[in-house]
Amino acid sequence: MPWNRPLIIGLLVVLLAISWWRLLPDDQEIRRSQLLMGTVVEIVVGGESSDKLEAAVDAAVAEMTRLDQLLSRHHQKSDLSRLSRSDTGTEVNVETAEVITLGLDVAQRSGGAFDLTLGRLKVLWGFDRENPTVPDQVALTAALEGIGPTALSLQGQEVNKRSLQLQVDLGGIAKGYAVDRAIAVLKEHGVTSAAVNAGGDMYLLGLHSELQGRPERPWRIGIQHPRHKETLLETVQVSDRAVVTSGDYERFFEEDGVRYHHIFDPQTGLPARGCQSVTIIADSVALADALATAVFVLGPAAGLQLLTQYPTAEGLVVAADGTLHSSSGWTNYRVTP
Ligand code: AMP
Ligand code: MG
């Protein structure tokens, strides 16, 4: 059949329309991965101008780098390092004070299951070292001496410790706080759709479209099965929410067939034994981060009970025996297959 002009023009119009539609200004997506705070941080942002998105991501990364320098014990001049060298009257930055305030609240409400004063215990176990081993009982007892929710206090931005040897560890909350700040910076730059993930501590801002041109919808997040890496336990759907998972599979070693992981029961100094993994959804990542660790230590029953004190928090727990437990509002996020 010979090509006729109206058909060719019609086809051209359709092709032009498709390419114009694919280049719509609000169709840009930028992804960045960066090693920060001892983990891989992934940032995804969507919006109209790639230049503006790049600038927003640069600013978010700069903010997380700044916080790492305040909150890490690996930086000589960090608030945390200064805090390790003195007992009373340490003046800290406002961000550090904010992290400690939230951490102390979760510590107190969880009856000490969440504990910011486990610094010596953390160093003793040495999960950051090449070959961590189980410490002996004498060393464990010494590392637990004087710890607890009342061992640390804050007046304004001044931190006081019960003793000089007490060491603060913000490992259960600092990453979450940094993700909150990264999201705040992205928002300041006009970003309305973003995902920031710092090694399992995530915030999902606004809506996004999975493929270019597809309608926007809430973010869908797969929750990893704690014993089968390739399997998803569940998928949740969220917008403007934090999703944080603490698991015994993240950092662990095995000795004599026993798994030793990095979330400690402050009562014993040993890895907490009630759960395999805990996922918390809440309105801030710092809160979800602290609660994931706290619920992990408390176990499913007391852990889900703790969540009732936090109106925005919901949780999914895989207990040590593999059974699933969730808070009453969890179903609002669950994507039914
Ligand atoms: P996460 O992966 O958020 O559960 O945090 C684990 C990290 O939190 C560990 O590497 C420690 O630095 C710290 N941590 C371990 N046990 C506790 C606890 N009971 N309370 C507060 N922080 C803890
Ligand atoms: Mg945590």
Side-chain angles (χ1 to χ4, degrees):
M1 189 187 85
W3 289 91
N4 62 37
R5 267 167 72 125
L7 181 64
I8 292 173
I9 291 170
L11 273 174
L12 276 175
V13 168
V14 170
L15 282 173
L16 277 173
I18 289 174
S19 50
W20 174 79
W21 167 70
R22 290 188 69 83
L23 291 174
L24 273 179
D26 62 348
D27 234 352
Q28 311 286 333
E29 187 174 274
I30 304 258
R31 289 172 177 267
R32 181 128 18 125
S33 285
Q34 190 138 348
L35 205 57
L36 266 172
M37 306 190 96
T39 191
V40 180
V41 175
E42 289 172 314
I43 301 179
V44 181
V45 288
E48 292 184 5
S49 137
S50 55
D51 286 351
K52 282 189 186 155
L53 291 176
E54 292 282 3
V57 173
D58 285 346
V61 168
E63 177 66 353
M64 291 183 89
T65 308
R66 184 179 75 86
L67 288 168
D68 186 27
Q69 283 161 5
L70 283 185
L71 302 173
S72 158
R73 69 189 164 92
H74 300 297
H75 295 276
Q76 273 290 310
K77 290 182 182 158
S78 72
D79 278 353
L80 210 72
S81 292
R82 289 193 302 111
L83 208 50
S84 74
R85 296 191 288 265
S86 62
D87 50 358
T88 52
T90 311
E91 195 68 31
V92 295
N93 285 275
V94 65
E95 293 87 350
T96 312
E98 217 180 321
V99 174
I100 293 178
T101 303
L102 178 60
L104 287 178
D105 174 70
V106 176
Q108 189 245 322
R109 289 181 197 241
S110 66
F114 187 78
D115 193 326
L116 295 178
T117 62
L118 290 177
R120 289 176 69 206
L121 188 72
K122 177 168 170 142
V123 174
L124 179 66
W125 277 92
F127 278 89
D128 300 338
R129 287 198 300 266
E130 283 235 328
N131 294 311
T133 51
V134 181
D136 66 45
Q137 189 55 52
V138 176
L140 278 177
T141 309
L144 294 177
E145 209 180 299
I147 66 155
T150 58
L152 192 69
S153 63
L154 193 74
Q155 264 135 8
Q157 283 167 242
E158 188 187 296
V159 183
N160 296 301
K161 301 191 303 187
R162 185 180 279 160
S163 69
L164 180 61
Q165 61 172 1
L166 197 81
Q167 295 297 323
V168 175
D169 170 33
L170 303 176
I173 187 171
K175 259 190 295 161
Y177 182 81
V179 175
D180 280 329
R181 287 295 316 148
I183 288 287
V185 167
L186 291 174
K187 280 177 163 174
E188 280 161 27
H189 280 72
V191 174
T192 54
S193 170
V196 178
N197 179 2
D201 286 23
M202 297 184 220
Y203 192 91
L204 297 312
L205 175 69
L207 304 169
H208 93 133
S209 40
E210 238 131 67
L211 287 171
Q212 267 192 336
R214 285 273 179 86
E216 290 194 313
R217 63 176 193 190
W219 295 81
R220 288 192 173 196
I221 304 298
I223 299 169
Q224 188 187 321
H225 191 294
R227 291 292 175 268
H228 307 287
K229 209 176 169 208
E230 308 303 331
T231 311
L232 289 185
L233 202 58
E234 282 202 7
T235 300
V236 291
Q237 184 163 264
V238 290
S239 177
D240 296 334
R241 281 285 181 278
V243 182
V244 175
T245 299
S246 279
D248 67 1
Y249 54 89
E250 293 173 316
R251 265 188 243 173
F252 70 94
F253 63 90
E254 283 182 11
E255 202 173 289
D256 299 330
V258 181
R259 175 186 294 243
Y260 295 93
H261 62 82
H262 70 311
I263 304 168
F264 309 113
D265 182 345
Q267 303 255 354
T268 60
L270 299 170
R273 290 294 176 207
C275 302
Q276 295 179 4
S277 78
V278 174
T279 302
I280 302 289
I281 298 178
D283 62 351
S284 103
V285 197
L287 177 64
D289 192 2
L291 287 177
T293 309
V295 171
F296 193 103
V297 175
L298 288 169
L304 293 178
Q305 187 59 36
L306 171 69
L307 295 186
T308 62
Q309 294 189 48
Y310 294 91
T312 73
E314 302 293 343
L316 175 74
V317 179
V318 182
D321 62 5
T323 53
L324 276 180
H325 308 256
S326 55
S327 61
S328 57
W330 183 264
T331 46
N332 298 333
Y333 298 112
R334 187 178 271 146
V335 176
T336 41

